[in-house]
Amino acid sequence: MPVIAFLGSTAGRWVRGILGVALSAVGVIAGQWWLLLLAPGLLFLASAVFDFCLLGPLAKLPMRGPAFRAACARPRNA
């Protein structure tokens, strides 16, 4: 859960954005089969720009960024 909470945080958005740009750049620069990195790179970049976390539903949390962060801030019943 701490990893998912981090990825939904503001710092996590920055990490997803940087990772998306890096994967996209490697895919475009290297070419050939490396272009396959463009799809996940753009997905990570879009998730950072539009503030949604794809791992939210796996942890039974909302996908939208503000709702995700609010749900992570609430204490969960064990």
Side-chain angles (χ1 to χ4, degrees):
M1 178 70 181
V3 171
I4 294 175
F6 170 74
L7 287 176
S9 70
T10 304
R13 279 181 75 185
W14 278 98
V15 169
R16 286 182 287 157
I18 292 168
L19 181 65
V21 169
L23 285 174
S24 298
V26 168
V28 169
I29 291 169
Q32 295 178 349
W33 287 100
W34 290 95
L35 277 174
L36 293 174
L37 290 177
L38 193 60
L42 291 176
L43 181 67
F44 285 136
L45 186 60
S47 72
V49 170
F50 297 114
D51 195 13
F52 62 89
C53 186
L54 293 171
L55 296 177
L58 292 175
K60 297 181 181 169
L61 295 168
M63 226 169 129
R64 290 182 312 117
F68 181 89
R69 285 186 286 280
C72 284
R74 284 192 303 252
R76 294 178 63 137
N77 295 334

Short mmCIF file of all heavy atoms in Angstrom, two decimals:
data_model
loop_
_atom_site.label_atom_id
_atom_site.label_comp_id
_atom_site.label_asym_id
_atom_site.label_seq_id
_atom_site.Cartn_x
_atom_site.Cartn_y
_atom_site.Cartn_z
N MET A 1 0.80 -1.21 0.00
CA MET A 1 0.00 0.00 0.00
C MET A 1 0.85 1.28 0.00
O MET A 1 0.47 2.24 -0.64
CB MET A 1 -0.95 -0.06 1.19
CG MET A 1 -1.81 1.14 1.33
SD MET A 1 -3.04 1.21 0.03
CE MET A 1 -3.85 2.69 0.44
N PRO A 2 2.00 1.30 0.68
CA PRO A 2 2.80 2.53 0.67
C PRO A 2 3.27 2.92 -0.74
O PRO A 2 3.35 4.10 -1.06
CB PRO A 2 3.99 2.22 1.57
CG PRO A 2 3.55 1.13 2.43
CD PRO A 2 2.57 0.33 1.63
N VAL A 3 3.55 1.94 -1.60
CA VAL A 3 3.99 2.24 -2.96
C VAL A 3 2.85 2.88 -3.74
O VAL A 3 3.04 3.87 -4.45
CB VAL A 3 4.50 0.96 -3.66
CG1 VAL A 3 4.76 1.21 -5.13
CG2 VAL A 3 5.73 0.44 -2.98
N ILE A 4 1.66 2.33 -3.60
CA ILE A 4 0.50 2.88 -4.32
C ILE A 4 0.18 4.28 -3.79
O ILE A 4 -0.14 5.18 -4.56
CB ILE A 4 -0.70 1.93 -4.20
CG1 ILE A 4 -0.39 0.63 -4.94
CG2 ILE A 4 -1.96 2.57 -4.76
CD1 ILE A 4 -1.45 -0.43 -4.81
N ALA A 5 0.28 4.47 -2.48
CA ALA A 5 0.04 5.79 -1.91
C ALA A 5 1.07 6.80 -2.43
O ALA A 5 0.73 7.95 -2.72
CB ALA A 5 0.07 5.73 -0.39
N PHE A 6 2.33 6.37 -2.56
CA PHE A 6 3.35 7.27 -3.09
C PHE A 6 3.07 7.64 -4.54
O PHE A 6 3.18 8.80 -4.93
CB PHE A 6 4.75 6.65 -2.98
CG PHE A 6 5.79 7.45 -3.72
CD1 PHE A 6 6.24 8.64 -3.19
CD2 PHE A 6 6.27 7.03 -4.94
CE1 PHE A 6 7.18 9.41 -3.88
CE2 PHE A 6 7.21 7.78 -5.63
CZ PHE A 6 7.66 8.97 -5.10
N LEU A 7 2.71 6.67 -5.36
CA LEU A 7 2.46 6.93 -6.77
C LEU A 7 1.28 7.87 -6.98
O LEU A 7 1.24 8.60 -7.97
CB LEU A 7 2.22 5.63 -7.53
CG LEU A 7 3.47 4.79 -7.74
CD1 LEU A 7 3.11 3.47 -8.40
CD2 LEU A 7 4.50 5.53 -8.56
N GLY A 8 0.34 7.90 -6.05
CA GLY A 8 -0.79 8.80 -6.16
C GLY A 8 -0.51 10.19 -5.60
O GLY A 8 -1.28 11.12 -5.81
N SER A 9 0.60 10.34 -4.89
CA SER A 9 0.94 11.63 -4.29
C SER A 9 1.49 12.59 -5.34
O SER A 9 1.72 12.22 -6.50
CB SER A 9 1.98 11.43 -3.18
OG SER A 9 3.22 11.07 -3.75
N THR A 10 1.73 13.82 -4.94
CA THR A 10 2.28 14.81 -5.85
C THR A 10 3.68 14.42 -6.31
O THR A 10 4.01 14.54 -7.49
CB THR A 10 2.31 16.20 -5.18
OG1 THR A 10 0.99 16.51 -4.75
CG2 THR A 10 2.79 17.27 -6.13
N ALA A 11 4.49 13.91 -5.39
CA ALA A 11 5.83 13.45 -5.77
C ALA A 11 5.73 12.27 -6.73
O ALA A 11 6.52 12.15 -7.67
CB ALA A 11 6.62 13.05 -4.54
N GLY A 12 4.76 11.41 -6.51
CA GLY A 12 4.54 10.28 -7.41
C GLY A 12 4.13 10.73 -8.80
O GLY A 12 4.50 10.11 -9.80
N ARG A 13 3.36 11.82 -8.87
CA ARG A 13 2.99 12.37 -10.18
C ARG A 13 4.23 12.83 -10.92
O ARG A 13 4.37 12.61 -12.12
CB ARG A 13 2.06 13.57 -10.03
CG ARG A 13 0.62 13.20 -9.80
CD ARG A 13 -0.23 14.44 -9.69
NE ARG A 13 -0.43 15.05 -11.02
CZ ARG A 13 -1.05 16.20 -11.18
NH1 ARG A 13 -1.53 16.87 -10.15
NH2 ARG A 13 -1.20 16.69 -12.39
N TRP A 14 5.15 13.47 -10.22
CA TRP A 14 6.40 13.91 -10.84
C TRP A 14 7.19 12.71 -11.34
O TRP A 14 7.75 12.74 -12.44
CB TRP A 14 7.23 14.74 -9.87
CG TRP A 14 6.79 16.16 -9.81
CD1 TRP A 14 5.97 16.72 -8.88
CD2 TRP A 14 7.12 17.19 -10.73
NE1 TRP A 14 5.77 18.05 -9.17
CE2 TRP A 14 6.48 18.36 -10.30
CE3 TRP A 14 7.90 17.24 -11.87
CZ2 TRP A 14 6.60 19.56 -10.98
CZ3 TRP A 14 8.02 18.44 -12.55
CH2 TRP A 14 7.36 19.59 -12.10
N VAL A 15 7.26 11.67 -10.53
CA VAL A 15 8.01 10.47 -10.92
C VAL A 15 7.38 9.84 -12.17
O VAL A 15 8.09 9.46 -13.11
CB VAL A 15 8.06 9.45 -9.76
CG1 VAL A 15 8.58 8.10 -10.22
CG2 VAL A 15 8.93 9.99 -8.64
N ARG A 16 6.04 9.73 -12.18
CA ARG A 16 5.37 9.17 -13.35
C ARG A 16 5.60 10.03 -14.59
O ARG A 16 5.79 9.51 -15.68
CB ARG A 16 3.86 9.03 -13.10
CG ARG A 16 3.54 7.89 -12.16
CD ARG A 16 2.05 7.77 -11.96
NE ARG A 16 1.61 8.90 -11.12
CZ ARG A 16 0.39 9.37 -11.08
NH1 ARG A 16 -0.55 8.87 -11.83
NH2 ARG A 16 0.08 10.37 -10.27
N GLY A 17 5.57 11.34 -14.42
CA GLY A 17 5.81 12.24 -15.56
C GLY A 17 7.21 12.11 -16.11
O GLY A 17 7.41 12.01 -17.32
N ILE A 18 8.19 12.10 -15.22
CA ILE A 18 9.59 11.97 -15.65
C ILE A 18 9.83 10.61 -16.30
O ILE A 18 10.50 10.50 -17.33
CB ILE A 18 10.54 12.21 -14.46
CG1 ILE A 18 10.46 13.69 -14.04
CG2 ILE A 18 11.97 11.81 -14.80
CD1 ILE A 18 11.13 14.00 -12.72
N LEU A 19 9.26 9.56 -15.71
CA LEU A 19 9.40 8.22 -16.28
C LEU A 19 8.74 8.16 -17.66
O LEU A 19 9.28 7.55 -18.59
CB LEU A 19 8.78 7.18 -15.35
CG LEU A 19 8.85 5.73 -15.79
CD1 LEU A 19 10.30 5.27 -15.84
CD2 LEU A 19 8.06 4.85 -14.85
N GLY A 20 7.59 8.79 -17.80
CA GLY A 20 6.91 8.81 -19.09
C GLY A 20 7.72 9.52 -20.16
O GLY A 20 7.84 9.03 -21.29
N VAL A 21 8.29 10.65 -19.81
CA VAL A 21 9.12 11.38 -20.77
C VAL A 21 10.36 10.56 -21.12
O VAL A 21 10.75 10.47 -22.29
CB VAL A 21 9.52 12.77 -20.21
CG1 VAL A 21 10.59 13.42 -21.05
CG2 VAL A 21 8.29 13.66 -20.11
N ALA A 22 10.98 9.94 -20.12
CA ALA A 22 12.19 9.14 -20.37
C ALA A 22 11.90 7.94 -21.27
O ALA A 22 12.64 7.68 -22.23
CB ALA A 22 12.79 8.68 -19.04
N LEU A 23 10.84 7.21 -20.97
CA LEU A 23 10.50 6.05 -21.81
C LEU A 23 10.16 6.48 -23.24
O LEU A 23 10.58 5.83 -24.20
CB LEU A 23 9.32 5.28 -21.21
CG LEU A 23 9.60 4.43 -19.99
CD1 LEU A 23 8.31 3.84 -19.44
CD2 LEU A 23 10.57 3.32 -20.33
N SER A 24 9.42 7.55 -23.37
CA SER A 24 9.06 8.04 -24.70
C SER A 24 10.30 8.48 -25.47
O SER A 24 10.45 8.19 -26.66
CB SER A 24 8.07 9.20 -24.61
OG SER A 24 6.89 8.78 -23.99
N ALA A 25 11.20 9.17 -24.80
CA ALA A 25 12.43 9.65 -25.45
C ALA A 25 13.30 8.49 -25.90
O ALA A 25 13.81 8.48 -27.03
CB ALA A 25 13.21 10.56 -24.52
N VAL A 26 13.46 7.49 -25.04
CA VAL A 26 14.26 6.32 -25.41
C VAL A 26 13.64 5.61 -26.60
O VAL A 26 14.34 5.20 -27.54
CB VAL A 26 14.43 5.36 -24.22
CG1 VAL A 26 14.99 4.01 -24.66
CG2 VAL A 26 15.31 5.97 -23.15
N GLY A 27 12.32 5.47 -26.58
CA GLY A 27 11.64 4.81 -27.68
C GLY A 27 11.81 5.54 -29.00
O GLY A 27 12.06 4.92 -30.04
N VAL A 28 11.71 6.85 -28.98
CA VAL A 28 11.83 7.64 -30.21
C VAL A 28 13.28 7.69 -30.69
O VAL A 28 13.56 7.53 -31.88
CB VAL A 28 11.27 9.06 -30.01
CG1 VAL A 28 11.63 9.97 -31.17
CG2 VAL A 28 9.76 9.00 -29.81
N ILE A 29 14.22 7.88 -29.77
CA ILE A 29 15.63 8.02 -30.15
C ILE A 29 16.20 6.70 -30.65
O ILE A 29 16.89 6.66 -31.67
CB ILE A 29 16.46 8.58 -28.98
CG1 ILE A 29 16.06 10.03 -28.72
CG2 ILE A 29 17.95 8.48 -29.26
CD1 ILE A 29 16.62 10.61 -27.44
N ALA A 30 15.91 5.60 -29.95
CA ALA A 30 16.49 4.31 -30.32
C ALA A 30 15.82 3.71 -31.56
O ALA A 30 16.44 2.98 -32.31
CB ALA A 30 16.42 3.34 -29.15
N GLY A 31 14.53 3.99 -31.73
CA GLY A 31 13.82 3.50 -32.90
C GLY A 31 13.61 1.99 -32.90
O GLY A 31 13.77 1.33 -31.88
N GLN A 32 13.28 1.45 -34.04
CA GLN A 32 13.01 0.03 -34.27
C GLN A 32 12.09 -0.54 -33.19
O GLN A 32 11.01 -0.01 -32.96
CB GLN A 32 14.31 -0.74 -34.39
CG GLN A 32 15.12 -0.32 -35.60
CD GLN A 32 16.43 -1.04 -35.71
OE1 GLN A 32 16.85 -1.72 -34.78
NE2 GLN A 32 17.10 -0.88 -36.82
N TRP A 33 12.49 -1.61 -32.55
CA TRP A 33 11.65 -2.26 -31.54
C TRP A 33 11.52 -1.42 -30.27
O TRP A 33 10.61 -1.62 -29.48
CB TRP A 33 12.19 -3.65 -31.18
CG TRP A 33 11.94 -4.64 -32.27
CD1 TRP A 33 12.84 -5.06 -33.19
CD2 TRP A 33 10.71 -5.29 -32.58
NE1 TRP A 33 12.26 -5.93 -34.06
CE2 TRP A 33 10.94 -6.10 -33.69
CE3 TRP A 33 9.44 -5.26 -32.01
CZ2 TRP A 33 9.94 -6.87 -34.25
CZ3 TRP A 33 8.46 -6.04 -32.58
CH2 TRP A 33 8.71 -6.83 -33.69
N TRP A 34 12.42 -0.48 -30.08
CA TRP A 34 12.36 0.37 -28.90
C TRP A 34 11.15 1.30 -28.94
O TRP A 34 10.74 1.85 -27.93
CB TRP A 34 13.64 1.20 -28.76
CG TRP A 34 14.81 0.36 -28.38
CD1 TRP A 34 15.73 -0.19 -29.22
CD2 TRP A 34 15.18 -0.06 -27.07
NE1 TRP A 34 16.65 -0.91 -28.51
CE2 TRP A 34 16.33 -0.84 -27.18
CE3 TRP A 34 14.64 0.18 -25.81
CZ2 TRP A 34 16.96 -1.40 -26.08
CZ3 TRP A 34 15.26 -0.38 -24.71
CH2 TRP A 34 16.40 -1.17 -24.85
N LEU A 35 10.55 1.45 -30.12
CA LEU A 35 9.35 2.27 -30.23
C LEU A 35 8.20 1.71 -29.39
O LEU A 35 7.25 2.42 -29.09
CB LEU A 35 8.91 2.39 -31.69
CG LEU A 35 9.61 3.46 -32.51
CD1 LEU A 35 9.20 3.37 -33.97
CD2 LEU A 35 9.31 4.83 -31.96
N LEU A 36 8.29 0.43 -29.02
CA LEU A 36 7.27 -0.17 -28.15
C LEU A 36 7.23 0.52 -26.79
O LEU A 36 6.23 0.45 -26.08
CB LEU A 36 7.52 -1.66 -27.98
CG LEU A 36 7.33 -2.51 -29.25
CD1 LEU A 36 7.74 -3.94 -28.98
CD2 LEU A 36 5.90 -2.43 -29.72
N LEU A 37 8.32 1.18 -26.40
CA LEU A 37 8.35 1.90 -25.12
C LEU A 37 7.52 3.18 -25.18
O LEU A 37 7.21 3.77 -24.15
CB LEU A 37 9.79 2.26 -24.73
CG LEU A 37 10.68 1.10 -24.32
CD1 LEU A 37 12.09 1.62 -24.05
CD2 LEU A 37 10.12 0.40 -23.11
N LEU A 38 7.18 3.61 -26.38
CA LEU A 38 6.42 4.84 -26.53
C LEU A 38 5.03 4.72 -25.91
O LEU A 38 4.56 5.67 -25.26
CB LEU A 38 6.32 5.20 -28.01
CG LEU A 38 5.84 6.58 -28.37
CD1 LEU A 38 6.75 7.64 -27.77
CD2 LEU A 38 5.78 6.73 -29.88
N ALA A 39 4.37 3.58 -26.05
CA ALA A 39 3.02 3.40 -25.51
C ALA A 39 2.98 3.51 -23.98
O ALA A 39 2.22 4.32 -23.43
CB ALA A 39 2.42 2.08 -25.98
N PRO A 40 3.79 2.73 -23.24
CA PRO A 40 3.75 2.91 -21.78
C PRO A 40 4.27 4.28 -21.35
O PRO A 40 3.80 4.84 -20.36
CB PRO A 40 4.62 1.79 -21.23
CG PRO A 40 5.39 1.26 -22.36
CD PRO A 40 4.66 1.62 -23.61
N GLY A 41 5.21 4.84 -22.11
CA GLY A 41 5.72 6.17 -21.78
C GLY A 41 4.63 7.22 -21.86
O GLY A 41 4.48 8.06 -20.97
N LEU A 42 3.83 7.16 -22.92
CA LEU A 42 2.73 8.11 -23.06
C LEU A 42 1.64 7.87 -22.03
O LEU A 42 1.00 8.81 -21.56
CB LEU A 42 2.16 8.06 -24.48
CG LEU A 42 3.09 8.58 -25.57
CD1 LEU A 42 2.46 8.38 -26.94
CD2 LEU A 42 3.43 10.03 -25.34
N LEU A 43 1.44 6.60 -21.64
CA LEU A 43 0.46 6.30 -20.60
C LEU A 43 0.88 6.89 -19.26
O LEU A 43 0.08 7.50 -18.55
CB LEU A 43 0.26 4.79 -20.48
CG LEU A 43 -0.76 4.33 -19.46
CD1 LEU A 43 -2.16 4.75 -19.88
CD2 LEU A 43 -0.70 2.83 -19.29
N PHE A 44 2.16 6.71 -18.89
CA PHE A 44 2.66 7.29 -17.65
C PHE A 44 2.59 8.81 -17.68
O PHE A 44 2.23 9.45 -16.70
CB PHE A 44 4.11 6.86 -17.37
CG PHE A 44 4.26 5.45 -16.90
CD1 PHE A 44 5.25 4.64 -17.41
CD2 PHE A 44 3.41 4.92 -15.95
CE1 PHE A 44 5.40 3.34 -16.99
CE2 PHE A 44 3.55 3.63 -15.51
CZ PHE A 44 4.55 2.83 -16.03
N LEU A 45 2.94 9.38 -18.81
CA LEU A 45 2.90 10.83 -18.95
C LEU A 45 1.46 11.35 -18.84
O LEU A 45 1.20 12.33 -18.15
CB LEU A 45 3.53 11.26 -20.27
CG LEU A 45 3.69 12.74 -20.50
CD1 LEU A 45 4.58 13.35 -19.43
CD2 LEU A 45 4.28 13.00 -21.87
N ALA A 46 0.53 10.68 -19.48
CA ALA A 46 -0.88 11.09 -19.41
C ALA A 46 -1.41 10.96 -17.99
O ALA A 46 -2.17 11.81 -17.52
CB ALA A 46 -1.72 10.25 -20.36
N SER A 47 -1.02 9.89 -17.29
CA SER A 47 -1.51 9.72 -15.91
C SER A 47 -0.98 10.82 -15.00
O SER A 47 -1.65 11.22 -14.05
CB SER A 47 -1.14 8.34 -15.36
OG SER A 47 0.24 8.24 -15.10
N ALA A 48 0.21 11.32 -15.28
CA ALA A 48 0.76 12.42 -14.48
C ALA A 48 0.10 13.74 -14.84
O ALA A 48 -0.26 14.52 -13.95
CB ALA A 48 2.27 12.50 -14.69
N VAL A 49 -0.08 13.98 -16.12
CA VAL A 49 -0.64 15.27 -16.56
C VAL A 49 -2.11 15.40 -16.16
O VAL A 49 -2.54 16.44 -15.66
CB VAL A 49 -0.47 15.43 -18.09
CG1 VAL A 49 -1.25 16.61 -18.61
CG2 VAL A 49 1.00 15.58 -18.44
N PHE A 50 -2.88 14.33 -16.35
CA PHE A 50 -4.31 14.38 -16.07
C PHE A 50 -4.67 13.92 -14.67
O PHE A 50 -5.85 13.81 -14.32
CB PHE A 50 -5.09 13.59 -17.12
CG PHE A 50 -4.94 14.16 -18.50
CD1 PHE A 50 -4.28 13.46 -19.49
CD2 PHE A 50 -5.42 15.41 -18.80
CE1 PHE A 50 -4.13 13.98 -20.75
CE2 PHE A 50 -5.27 15.96 -20.06
CZ PHE A 50 -4.61 15.24 -21.04
N ASP A 51 -3.67 13.61 -13.85
CA ASP A 51 -3.82 13.29 -12.42
C ASP A 51 -4.79 12.13 -12.18
O ASP A 51 -5.84 12.28 -11.56
CB ASP A 51 -4.27 14.53 -11.64
CG ASP A 51 -4.09 14.34 -10.14
OD1 ASP A 51 -3.41 13.38 -9.73
OD2 ASP A 51 -4.62 15.17 -9.38
N PHE A 52 -4.39 10.95 -12.65
CA PHE A 52 -5.10 9.74 -12.29
C PHE A 52 -4.07 8.65 -12.02
O PHE A 52 -2.96 8.69 -12.52
CB PHE A 52 -6.12 9.30 -13.35
CG PHE A 52 -5.52 8.96 -14.69
CD1 PHE A 52 -5.10 7.67 -14.98
CD2 PHE A 52 -5.42 9.91 -15.68
CE1 PHE A 52 -4.57 7.35 -16.21
CE2 PHE A 52 -4.90 9.60 -16.92
CZ PHE A 52 -4.47 8.31 -17.19
N CYS A 53 -4.43 7.70 -11.18
CA CYS A 53 -3.53 6.63 -10.80
C CYS A 53 -4.15 5.30 -11.23
O CYS A 53 -5.21 4.92 -10.73
CB CYS A 53 -3.27 6.64 -9.30
SG CYS A 53 -2.03 5.43 -8.81
N LEU A 54 -3.50 4.62 -12.15
CA LEU A 54 -4.03 3.37 -12.68
C LEU A 54 -4.04 2.25 -11.65
O LEU A 54 -4.80 1.30 -11.78
CB LEU A 54 -3.23 2.94 -13.90
CG LEU A 54 -3.35 3.85 -15.12
CD1 LEU A 54 -2.35 3.45 -16.17
CD2 LEU A 54 -4.75 3.79 -15.66
N LEU A 55 -3.22 2.35 -10.63
CA LEU A 55 -3.17 1.30 -9.61
C LEU A 55 -4.22 1.48 -8.52
O LEU A 55 -4.38 0.62 -7.67
CB LEU A 55 -1.78 1.26 -8.97
CG LEU A 55 -0.64 0.88 -9.91
CD1 LEU A 55 0.69 0.94 -9.18
CD2 LEU A 55 -0.86 -0.48 -10.53
N GLY A 56 -4.93 2.59 -8.53
CA GLY A 56 -5.96 2.85 -7.53
C GLY A 56 -7.00 1.75 -7.43
O GLY A 56 -7.27 1.24 -6.33
N PRO A 57 -7.62 1.34 -8.53
CA PRO A 57 -8.65 0.30 -8.45
C PRO A 57 -8.11 -1.04 -7.93
O PRO A 57 -8.86 -1.82 -7.34
CB PRO A 57 -9.15 0.17 -9.89
CG PRO A 57 -8.88 1.50 -10.49
CD PRO A 57 -7.61 1.98 -9.85
N LEU A 58 -6.83 -1.31 -8.13
CA LEU A 58 -6.26 -2.56 -7.61
C LEU A 58 -6.26 -2.57 -6.08
O LEU A 58 -6.35 -3.63 -5.46
CB LEU A 58 -4.84 -2.76 -8.12
CG LEU A 58 -4.70 -3.03 -9.61
CD1 LEU A 58 -3.24 -3.09 -9.99
CD2 LEU A 58 -5.41 -4.31 -9.98
N ALA A 59 -6.15 -1.40 -5.48
CA ALA A 59 -6.16 -1.28 -4.02
C ALA A 59 -7.53 -0.85 -3.51
O ALA A 59 -7.67 -0.43 -2.37
CB ALA A 59 -5.11 -0.27 -3.59
N LYS A 60 -8.55 -0.94 -4.38
CA LYS A 60 -9.92 -0.54 -4.04
C LYS A 60 -9.98 0.92 -3.63
O LYS A 60 -10.65 1.29 -2.66
CB LYS A 60 -10.50 -1.45 -2.97
CG LYS A 60 -10.62 -2.88 -3.44
CD LYS A 60 -11.22 -3.77 -2.40
CE LYS A 60 -11.27 -5.19 -2.95
NZ LYS A 60 -11.59 -6.16 -1.97
N LEU A 61 -9.25 1.75 -4.37
CA LEU A 61 -9.23 3.19 -4.17
C LEU A 61 -9.69 3.86 -5.46
O LEU A 61 -9.65 3.25 -6.52
CB LEU A 61 -7.81 3.66 -3.82
CG LEU A 61 -7.24 3.16 -2.50
CD1 LEU A 61 -5.76 3.46 -2.42
CD2 LEU A 61 -7.96 3.80 -1.34
N PRO A 62 -10.13 5.11 -5.38
CA PRO A 62 -10.55 5.81 -6.60
C PRO A 62 -9.37 6.03 -7.55
O PRO A 62 -8.21 6.01 -7.14
CB PRO A 62 -11.09 7.15 -6.11
CG PRO A 62 -11.02 7.13 -4.64
CD PRO A 62 -10.32 5.90 -4.19
N MET A 63 -9.68 6.24 -8.81
CA MET A 63 -8.65 6.48 -9.80
C MET A 63 -8.27 7.95 -9.91
O MET A 63 -7.11 8.27 -10.20
CB MET A 63 -9.17 6.01 -11.17
CG MET A 63 -8.20 5.20 -11.95
SD MET A 63 -9.05 4.47 -13.35
CE MET A 63 -7.96 4.96 -14.62
N ARG A 64 -9.21 8.86 -9.69
CA ARG A 64 -8.94 10.29 -9.80
C ARG A 64 -7.98 10.74 -8.70
O ARG A 64 -8.09 10.30 -7.56
CB ARG A 64 -10.24 11.09 -9.69
CG ARG A 64 -11.14 10.93 -10.89
CD ARG A 64 -12.40 11.78 -10.79
NE ARG A 64 -13.06 11.63 -9.50
CZ ARG A 64 -13.23 12.62 -8.62
NH1 ARG A 64 -12.81 13.82 -8.88
NH2 ARG A 64 -13.83 12.39 -7.47
N GLY A 65 -7.07 11.61 -9.02
CA GLY A 65 -6.03 12.04 -8.10
C GLY A 65 -6.50 12.62 -6.79
O GLY A 65 -6.10 12.13 -5.73
N PRO A 66 -7.36 13.66 -6.77
CA PRO A 66 -7.77 14.24 -5.49
C PRO A 66 -8.53 13.25 -4.61
O PRO A 66 -8.30 13.18 -3.40
CB PRO A 66 -8.68 15.41 -5.90
CG PRO A 66 -8.26 15.75 -7.28
CD PRO A 66 -7.82 14.46 -7.91
N ALA A 67 -9.41 12.47 -5.22
CA ALA A 67 -10.16 11.47 -4.44
C ALA A 67 -9.23 10.36 -3.95
O ALA A 67 -9.38 9.85 -2.83
CB ALA A 67 -11.28 10.87 -5.29
N PHE A 68 -8.25 10.01 -4.75
CA PHE A 68 -7.27 8.99 -4.37
C PHE A 68 -6.47 9.45 -3.16
O PHE A 68 -6.30 8.71 -2.20
CB PHE A 68 -6.34 8.71 -5.56
CG PHE A 68 -5.31 7.67 -5.28
CD1 PHE A 68 -5.57 6.34 -5.52
CD2 PHE A 68 -4.07 8.02 -4.78
CE1 PHE A 68 -4.62 5.37 -5.26
CE2 PHE A 68 -3.10 7.07 -4.53
CZ PHE A 68 -3.38 5.73 -4.77
N ARG A 69 -5.97 10.68 -3.21
CA ARG A 69 -5.17 11.19 -2.09
C ARG A 69 -6.01 11.33 -0.82
O ARG A 69 -5.53 11.06 0.28
CB ARG A 69 -4.53 12.52 -2.48
CG ARG A 69 -3.36 12.34 -3.43
CD ARG A 69 -2.63 13.62 -3.70
NE ARG A 69 -3.38 14.51 -4.57
CZ ARG A 69 -3.43 14.39 -5.88
NH1 ARG A 69 -2.79 13.41 -6.48
NH2 ARG A 69 -4.12 15.25 -6.61
N ALA A 70 -7.27 11.72 -0.96
CA ALA A 70 -8.16 11.81 0.21
C ALA A 70 -8.40 10.43 0.81
O ALA A 70 -8.42 10.27 2.04
CB ALA A 70 -9.48 12.47 -0.17
N ALA A 71 -8.58 9.43 -0.03
CA ALA A 71 -8.81 8.07 0.46
C ALA A 71 -7.56 7.51 1.12
O ALA A 71 -7.65 6.76 2.10
CB ALA A 71 -9.26 7.16 -0.67
N CYS A 72 -6.39 7.87 0.62
CA CYS A 72 -5.14 7.38 1.24
C CYS A 72 -4.89 8.07 2.57
O CYS A 72 -4.23 7.51 3.45
CB CYS A 72 -3.96 7.63 0.31
SG CYS A 72 -3.90 6.48 -1.05
N ALA A 73 -5.39 9.28 2.75
CA ALA A 73 -5.16 10.02 3.99
C ALA A 73 -6.04 9.48 5.11
O ALA A 73 -5.68 9.62 6.28
CB ALA A 73 -5.44 11.49 3.77
N ARG A 74 -7.20 8.89 4.77
CA ARG A 74 -8.08 8.33 5.79
C ARG A 74 -7.48 7.05 6.35
O ARG A 74 -6.95 6.23 5.58
CB ARG A 74 -9.44 8.02 5.20
CG ARG A 74 -10.31 9.22 4.97
CD ARG A 74 -11.72 8.80 4.65
NE ARG A 74 -11.77 7.91 3.49
CZ ARG A 74 -12.23 8.26 2.30
NH1 ARG A 74 -12.67 9.48 2.10
NH2 ARG A 74 -12.24 7.41 1.31
N PRO A 75 -7.60 6.82 7.63
CA PRO A 75 -7.12 5.53 8.17
C PRO A 75 -8.04 4.40 7.70
O PRO A 75 -9.25 4.55 7.65
CB PRO A 75 -7.21 5.72 9.68
CG PRO A 75 -8.11 6.87 9.90
CD PRO A 75 -8.07 7.71 8.66
N ARG A 76 -7.43 3.31 7.32
CA ARG A 76 -8.20 2.15 6.84
C ARG A 76 -8.37 1.16 7.96
O ARG A 76 -7.49 0.95 8.77
CB ARG A 76 -7.48 1.49 5.67
CG ARG A 76 -7.44 2.42 4.47
CD ARG A 76 -6.69 1.78 3.34
NE ARG A 76 -7.39 0.58 2.91
CZ ARG A 76 -7.58 0.25 1.66
NH1 ARG A 76 -7.13 1.03 0.72
NH2 ARG A 76 -8.20 -0.85 1.32
N ASN A 77 -9.52 0.52 7.98
CA ASN A 77 -9.79 -0.52 8.99
C ASN A 77 -9.06 -1.79 8.60
O ASN A 77 -9.09 -2.22 7.46
CB ASN A 77 -11.29 -0.80 9.09
CG ASN A 77 -12.05 0.41 9.60
OD1 ASN A 77 -11.47 1.23 10.31
ND2 ASN A 77 -13.31 0.52 9.25
N ALA A 78 -8.41 -2.39 9.56
CA ALA A 78 -7.64 -3.61 9.29
C ALA A 78 -8.52 -4.84 9.31
O ALA A 78 -9.54 -4.94 9.82
CB ALA A 78 -6.52 -3.78 10.29
#
